[in-house]
């Protein structure tokens, strides 16, 4: 091999290596790897439901039965509690950084609180069993989806008054908003998704969910896709046509979903003890992150690029009775914890 050719070859190989190194971050961003990076033991009594992340304020809202715990995501410590509730499910946050809205299912109400002081400022009557809750940015309204009355209570955030009650025709689960005036919601008992015009407060489309009993729902606003999660399946749906685009496999027993606009990844937290990661472009499952059993609800924080999920230790389930044929095992005291996932 001549000296000149040897030099040229080394330069070519060095250039190829540099290109590969520069391309590597894009590959990592697209495929992960996400992993458990921390665990926060919070303790306390009772179960839990939805989580809501406020990335700008570095806070995580966790519904805990008769209260909402507020966690500082920098320290992993509880910095406040909103109490005096009757069986809470979810928290929605306005886009002004001022108010939060709690679906108080046991009180058939939406409780409004000041995000600075955590003081309750209003209690607004809702339907029966308000569960999932969402802030819609175009109309500046809050939507409380009532599981038992199978409707939605719509609240004007300027007046803190109910402006509409929408009949949904089935049991609503997680909602999502496209930021353009449309709201989507899983109708769990019918395995459907409804599309709602937030301005006219009417259902404009009803589509098959593409899987049975959808719970969690996330949206890719830019890509125009919904991600509905059912047992072992994520259904990816076109927001314009309602067409099912793909049904990638996920873990068993999912409850919640999330989406990273930056990385184009969808997430599903599953009770078997995993978070499934689906590429929002190829619509294929690209990673399975091991968490813990019963860690089936989650919140995604796009500011920190963190997924938060929760679980606890459980005792033995009590004996079944006619009144309670499928009793749940009790949560062991002070075992509640947050699992933090990052990359």
């Amino acid at each position: 091999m001549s000296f000149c050719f040897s030099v040229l070859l080394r330069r070519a190989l060095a250039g190829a290596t540099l290109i590969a190194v520069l391309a590597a971050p894009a590959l990592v961003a697209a495929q992960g790897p996400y992993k458990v990076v921390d665990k926060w033991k919070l303790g306390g009594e009772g179960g839990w439901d939805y989580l809501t992340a406020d990335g700008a304020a570095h806070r995580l809202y966790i519904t805990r039965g008769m209260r909402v715990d507020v966690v500082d995501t920098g320290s992993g410590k509880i910095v406040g509690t909103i109490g005096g509730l009757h069986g809470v499910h979810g928290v929605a946050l306005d886009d002004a950084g001022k108010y939060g809205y709690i679906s108080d299912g046991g009180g058939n109400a939406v409780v409004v609180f000041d995000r600075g002081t955590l003081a309750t400022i209003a209690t607004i009557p809702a339907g029966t069993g308000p569960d999932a809750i969402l802030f819609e940015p175009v109309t500046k309204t809050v939507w409380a989806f009532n599981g038992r009355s199978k409707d939605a209570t719509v609240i004007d955030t300027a007046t803190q008054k109910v402006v509409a009650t929408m009949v949904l025709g089935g049991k609503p689960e997680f909602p999502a908003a496209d930021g353009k005036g449309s709201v989507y919601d899983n109708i769990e008992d019918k395995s459907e998704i409804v599309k709602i015009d937030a301005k006219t407060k009417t259902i404009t489309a009803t589509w098959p969910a593409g899987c049975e009993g959808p719970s969690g729902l996330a949206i890719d606003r830019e890509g125009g896709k919904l991600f509905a999660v059912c047992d072992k399946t994520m259904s990816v749906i076109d927001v314009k046509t309602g067409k099912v685009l793909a049904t990638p496999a996920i873990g068993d027993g999912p409850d919640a979903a999330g989406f990273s606009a930056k990385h184009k990844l969808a997430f599903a937290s599953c009770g078997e003890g995993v978070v499934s990661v689906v590429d929002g472009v190829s619509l294929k499952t690209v990673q399975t992150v091991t968490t813990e059993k019963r860690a089936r609800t989650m919140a995604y924080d796009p500011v920190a690029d963190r997924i938060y999920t929760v679980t606890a230790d459980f005792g033995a389930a009590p004996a079944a009775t006619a009144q309670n044929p499928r009793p749940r095992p009790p949560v062991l005291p002070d075992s509640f914890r947050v699992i933090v996932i990052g990359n």
Side-chain angles (χ1 to χ4, degrees):
M1 183 183 294
S2 70
F3 173 77
C4 290
F5 180 76
S6 176
V7 170
L8 290 173
L9 179 61
R10 286 199 300 271
R11 288 177 177 176
L13 290 173
T17 302
L18 177 61
I19 291 171
V21 169
L22 291 174
L27 181 63
V28 170
Q31 297 184 351
Y34 281 86
K35 58 185 179 293
V36 174
V37 296
D38 207 351
K39 292 184 181 182
W40 306 330
K41 186 175 180 180
L42 302 182
E45 301 291 331
W48 60 88
D49 203 345
Y50 293 88
L51 312 179
T52 301
D54 182 355
H58 309 290
R59 284 183 167 183
L60 179 67
Y61 295 89
I62 307 176
T63 58
R64 298 291 312 273
M66 306 301 175
R67 69 186 191 277
V68 175
D69 285 340
V70 185
V71 178
D72 183 301
T73 55
S75 66
K77 305 295 184 183
I78 295 174
V79 293
T81 296
I82 305 163
L85 305 168
H86 304 86
V88 298
H89 292 286
V91 176
L93 305 174
D94 69 11
D95 59 359
K98 188 173 184 179
Y99 296 124
Y101 298 80
I102 302 166
S103 55
D104 191 4
N108 296 326
V110 171
V111 175
V112 188
F113 67 93
D114 184 295
R115 287 158 66 179
T117 65
L118 303 183
T120 296
I121 65 165
T123 298
I124 304 168
T128 308
D131 192 334
I133 191 166
L134 170 127
F135 173 79
E136 199 290 305
V138 174
T139 58
K140 308 296 182 185
T141 51
V142 165
W143 294 64
F145 291 87
N146 307 305
R148 290 195 292 277
S149 55
K150 299 182 179 180
D151 53 19
T153 301
V154 187
I155 299 167
D156 181 357
T157 60
T159 62
Q160 310 297 5
K161 302 290 185 183
V162 175
V163 293
T165 299
M166 281 195 59
V167 176
L168 299 172
K171 182 179 180 297
E173 261 290 348
F174 282 69
D178 67 358
K180 301 174 183 178
S182 291
V183 174
Y184 303 84
D185 191 75
N186 285 329
I187 305 300
E188 185 180 31
D189 56 350
K190 292 189 173 182
S191 298
E192 294 176 342
I193 292 177
V194 292
K195 180 179 181 179
I196 301 168
D197 185 316
K199 293 181 180 178
T200 63
K201 301 170 185 63
T202 57
I203 294 175
T204 58
T206 301
W207 303 319
C211 58
E212 293 297 317
S215 56
L217 186 67
I219 188 168
D220 173 3
R221 291 180 171 181
E222 182 180 348
K225 301 183 189 78
L226 293 168
F227 302 88
V229 298
C230 307
D231 285 346
K232 299 184 179 181
T233 301
M234 176 183 284
S235 181
V236 187
I237 298 167
D238 186 292
V239 299
K240 293 182 179 178
T241 66
K243 179 182 178 181
V244 177
L245 303 174
T247 53
I250 60 172
D252 195 19
D255 187 44
F259 185 76
S260 167
K262 178 180 179 180
H263 300 309
K264 304 298 182 187
L265 296 172
F267 311 104
S269 51
C270 307
E272 73 169 76
V274 300
V275 167
S276 297
V277 184
V278 173
D279 188 297
V281 179
S282 70
L283 307 184
K284 295 181 180 180
T285 304
V286 294
Q287 190 182 3
T288 301
V289 184
T290 300
T291 55
E292 294 186 38
K293 292 288 186 182
R294 296 188 174 90
R296 62 190 301 265
T297 192
M298 62 160 281
Y300 176 68
D301 178 354
V303 176
D305 191 20
R306 292 287 186 267
I307 301 164
Y308 303 104
T309 184
V310 295
T311 192
D313 298 328
F314 289 78
T321 64
Q323 294 76 23
N324 188 10
R326 292 184 294 179
R328 294 183 178 183
V331 177
L332 297 182
D334 294 322
S335 66
F336 179 76
R337 54 194 175 271
V338 176
I339 301 169
V340 184
I341 299 166
N343 61 18

